[in-house]
Every structure is written in C-alpha cells, then in structure tokens.
Amino acid sequence: MPGLLLGPLLRHVDTTSATVWVETDAPCAVEVAGTAAHTFTVAGHHYALVVITGLEPATSTPYEVHLDGDTVWPPPGGEYPPSRIRTFPDGGDPAFRMVFGSCRMPDTDDPGERKAMGTDALAAYAVRMHDQDERDWPDSLMLLGDQIYADELSKATREWIAERRSLDEPPGAEVANFEEYTRLYHESWSTPLVRWLMSTVPTSMIFDDHDVRDDWNTSQDWRDAISATSWWPERERGALATYWIYQHIGNLAPADLAADEIYDKVLATGRDGDAAGLLRDFADRAAQEVNGRKGTRWSYRRDFGNVRLLVIDTRSGRILSGGARSMLGDGEFEWIEQHADGDYDHLLIGSSLPWLMPHAINHLQSMNEVACRRPGWRGRLAEKLRQAGDLEHWPSFRASYDRLSRLILRIAKSDAATVCVLSGDVHHVYAARASFPEPVNAAVFQLTCSPVHNKVEQAMRPLFVMAWWRPLAAVLRLLMFRSPRIEPLPVEWRKVSGPYFGNAVATLRTDGRKAEMVVERAEPGPRLVPLATVPLAR
C-alpha cells in the first residue's frame, strides 16, 4: 500500500478549479475530490499535482486524499478540521485576506535550536484557525522566500547528511544535491500544524537566496567564484529541480500548466519512467544566461477577484554577465509590465527582496553599486563589502529599481486603489508609504514581513532602527548625490509602521477599495499577538 510522505498542499485555487500537490513513497494513482492523477517519478521520488476542475464558485468542499483507492488523508484520529477547497465567487469577493511572510526555519526537537528560533508564526496561525469559523480563515498564503535553508542546516539534518558523506569535504554542512534538498522540504513541511494549514489555505511561493545559498547571484564576481568550486553545479541543479517540483508547478493555473513544455515532458515519462534527466537538463538551462536572458521564467501571476498578485523572481532571473547588472532580463521585465495592466482595485507585487528599504541601507546599496565598478583595489574592496554586507537588494540594481519604480508609478496613476510591494528577507517588519514627483491616484506601500520562524541577533536590531534615522539618511543622501554617476531617486518614502522584531506574519485585508495590513507576532503557546494595524486605503 503506497503511503503519503508529504502534503497535501493546496496550491492554485480560482472560481472553478484547484490544484493539490502530494509526495508519495511509491508510484500510485492519487485521487482528490473525485479527480485522479498518476504520480511522476524524479530520482526515485514520486509526486503528483492533481488538477481539479468543474468546481462550483463560492463553495467550500472538504476533501480526502486516496492513493490507489486507500484513504491516507486526513490521518487517522486527526484533531484538525477537514482540509477543504474554498473556491472564489464569480466576479470576486469584495473582502479578501492574504497572509504573507518569509524566512522560515524548520521546527526542531533540539532545545537550543528551539530557544534560538522562537515560536513558528505559521504554527501559531494554524492554532488560531483551528478554533475559527472557516469564513474567518485567510483566502491565500504568500510565502516570500527562504522556505528552506540549504546553507544553514538544523542539527538533525547535519547528522542525517553526516551518515551519507563526510562533512569535511565540500560543501561541508550544506546540502550538496537533489536528494539532500528533498530532505529540507520534508523537514520544513512535515510539522502537523503547518501541514494542515497548507492543506487548507491556497499557497503561493517564490524563492530567495537561502533556498539555494546565501547571497545567491549577488554579482558576477560571486557567480564566478562559486562556479569555480567542484560542488556548485550539482548543488544548483538540485536546488532548481526541487524548486520546480516542490514550489513552482503549484504556483501555476491549470491553463499555464497545460501550456508548460517541461511539465508535459515530465508527465510523458509515464508510470515506469524517471524524469531526473529531464529536470537536470532543465535546471542547467534555467541557470544559464544567454544574450541577456535566462532559460526560464519563474515569475507568475494570480488573480483573486479585484486583487491581482504579480510575483517577481528576484534571484534566479538576474542578469550579471558582460558588465550587465539587472534584477531581471528584459524579456521577463516586459512580461511583468504587461501583466501589471488589468481590471483590478489592488495590485500586489510579490518580491522576496524589498523595493523600499530603510533609507540608510537604500542609499548605501546605490553607492556601493557604483563603487564596485571602479577599477583596481577600490572596486575590489567595494565588492568585498557588497558580499559581506548583503548589499544586493533592489537599490543595488539601480536600473532595475528605477524601472520597477516607473512601473509602479504608471499603475498608481490609473484607477487602482492601492499598489503594495510585499516582501521579506530583512528579518524585521515595517510598512513604508511611497510618494512620487507627480500626482497619483493609488496609495503605494512597501509592506515587509520577516521572519516567520528565524532569529535576528540582538546586536542587529539597533542597526535596523538606526537605518531608518532621518539625519543619517540625509548625510548618505548628500554623499550619494555628489556622484554624477548616481541618478536622483525616482521615489520618496516614509516609514508609517515598525520596525518590529521577532517571528511574525502580516495579513493584507481588502474590502472593495479599502485595504489595511495587520501585523502579528508569534508568542509561546503558540499564539499570535497583534502589533499594528496599518490603514492602506479607505
């Protein structure tokens, strides 16, 4: 009898369809809500993405998972409400709730790790949902990067890897290949509370650096150095192949899946085939940069009634060779710009990296990008500072930063009520409101929530607070604009809430053209404690 190893994860949901992802321990037929699909195999692992169509709008459908006819979900004696698929109404619901955040280390049994990481905010959210009416559950969950930490392993995973290979050989206590990446996903998604939550709330995802490695694609110098190692090619293949399986395909709508060439080829390997070779080749192409373009597009779009979510890949899509420095290739940026147009009231731009950062950090990154171009020791020193200080966010890609700002300005001048950039990465929570040199109709915000389950060293907290200090920002701004090679900023902003520290989740709530963000911190229990409610549009 086949068993359920991971999942079910409820991924894409619209008015009449849904996708449910699972991993099993053997090839089998997977049935969810009356729809069956057969697993596909990659390197001996077995997966299925069940595409359920013909659902009724605005309905709630409890579901089970059957493998070869046997019920494997919900687990026997489960204490949680039934997993369910809640479709959206035709024309959209004026009231919409999206929970978002990033940077989630796995739960652990080790006392030291548990103390360091604190309470998992997703687990605390699941506890609250357990006692709520389902009408109060969120409509969507957006995980904005660092779902797994390939370079910061738990004690249990280090011990597991040490049984397979020597940690004295590169890459040491980091994951090395596809098999070790699968371990990270199992560790992250197996916690009962989080597993139930993700079986019930439609979840969107995008990766950040730790899903692959800290500072991934910071610069061409970083890429050249890492590519010279003996272990990096297999590491990157494993990262991108598992990301495609565990995260990416679930982001896609049924129509996009049907048009996806790689997905079609993987399914065509059949019950007895293995798609490992296909995905190895795909991962190699996805990592390559050819004529200013990458081999695949990880960015995607989802619509929730009058809310559009446009998710930008800010890591794998970077263009760095030949003296270029762009967060995305032109082709992918053009796709983003095209799909930003539409009939909606609220545009949410999902970017693992914040667009608007604390002013001092923003200005330092723009200055550093220019300094890195200087010849000789000055440029080399600036590059060392860039990598040591993680100076690789949107402001350090100024041409891309300005292009994104122009896009946001264009949408803000339309009939939209809000444009919000949802981000994580920086291990604190804040909201900042943007303003432009010309009038706009929409309220524009940077909304940042991180971490969901991680830590910030106490010594770093005063630095994050100081980075918002206006006098320091003014000095750096004066220094920045003394350089003729740094263009004036295309946008101004002011912090309206935060910074807050600790494990947290944020909820974006819309009701018609109204919108607000609610920030909650996780405390032992687990439970969520309100920190702030930020009005976005009234």
Side-chain angles (χ1 to χ4, degrees), residues 358-364 367 462-480:
H359 295 89
I361 296 175
N362 183 96
H363 301 342
L364 278 173
M367 294 166 65
L463 296 179
F464 283 134
V465 173
M466 188 178 299
W468 285 106
W469 192 39
R470 286 284 188 175
L472 176 60
V475 171
L476 290 173
R477 186 185 180 97
L478 180 63
L479 293 173
M480 181 170 66

Side-chain angles (χ1 to χ4, degrees), residues 3-26:
L4 184 66
L5 291 180
L6 202 57
L9 271 70
L10 181 60
R11 299 302 311 273
H12 189 281
V13 175
D14 54 31
T15 56
T16 60
S17 71
T19 62
V20 175
W21 180 98
V22 299
E23 181 178 357
T24 65
D25 64 4

Side-chain angles (χ1 to χ4, degrees), residues 204-280:
S204 307
M205 308 174 182
I206 193 68
F207 46 15
D208 200 9
D209 55 344
H210 289 285
D211 292 85
V212 181
R213 196 172 200 262
D214 187 29
D215 298 339
W216 178 35
N217 286 342
T218 287
S219 64
Q220 187 62 45
D221 282 357
W222 183 92
R223 189 185 283 174
D224 290 342
I226 202 77
S227 298
T229 65
S230 61
W231 53 269
W232 177 250
E234 196 62 29
R235 164 73 162 270
E236 191 171 37
R237 287 187 197 106
L240 295 180
T242 52
Y243 176 80
W244 185 89
I245 296 167
Y246 286 84
Q247 298 197 50
H248 178 66
I249 56 176
N251 290 327
L252 304 180
D256 294 326
L257 275 173
D260 189 281
E261 180 181 357
I262 298 301
Y263 187 69
D264 186 59
K265 288 181 177 180
V266 167
L267 294 185
T269 57
R271 299 187 179 195
D272 300 321
D274 193 307
L278 274 172
L279 287 183
R280 281 175 62 89

Side-chain angles (χ1 to χ4, degrees), residues 44 83 125-127 177 268 328 341 350 356 391 393 437 444 452 479 486:
S83 302
Y125 206 103
V127 167
N177 52 41
L328 300 166
D341 292 319
L356 302 178
L391 306 180
H393 297 76
V444 178
V452 169
L479 293 173
I486 302 179

Side-chain angles (χ1 to χ4, degrees), residues 148 181-189 242-243 246-247:
I148 57 173
Y181 265 103
T182 66
R183 159 79 184 193
L184 297 185
Y185 283 103
H186 282 238
E187 187 178 45
S188 180
W189 291 353
T242 52
Y243 176 80
Y246 286 84
Q247 298 197 50

Side-chain angles (χ1 to χ4, degrees), residues 393-463:
H393 297 76
W394 281 99
S396 74
F397 289 78
R398 264 302 298 272
S400 299
Y401 175 93
D402 291 356
R403 186 170 181 175
L404 178 62
S405 299
R406 290 194 297 271
L407 168 63
I408 292 172
L409 172 60
R410 176 168 65 81
I411 300 303
K413 292 167 67 176
S414 71
D415 293 330
T418 65
V419 181
C420 297
V421 179
L422 312 183
S423 304
D425 181 70
V426 292
H427 286 210
H428 65 292
V429 183
Y430 64 89
R433 180 158 189 171
S435 59
F436 296 90
E438 51 191 294
V440 297
N441 297 318
V444 178
F445 287 89
Q446 170 69 61
L447 307 177
T448 302
C449 183
S450 165
V452 169
H453 188 220
N454 208 314
K455 61 183 184 296
V456 179
E457 301 298 338
Q458 289 291 334
M460 292 297 297
R461 298 186 180 194
L463 296 179

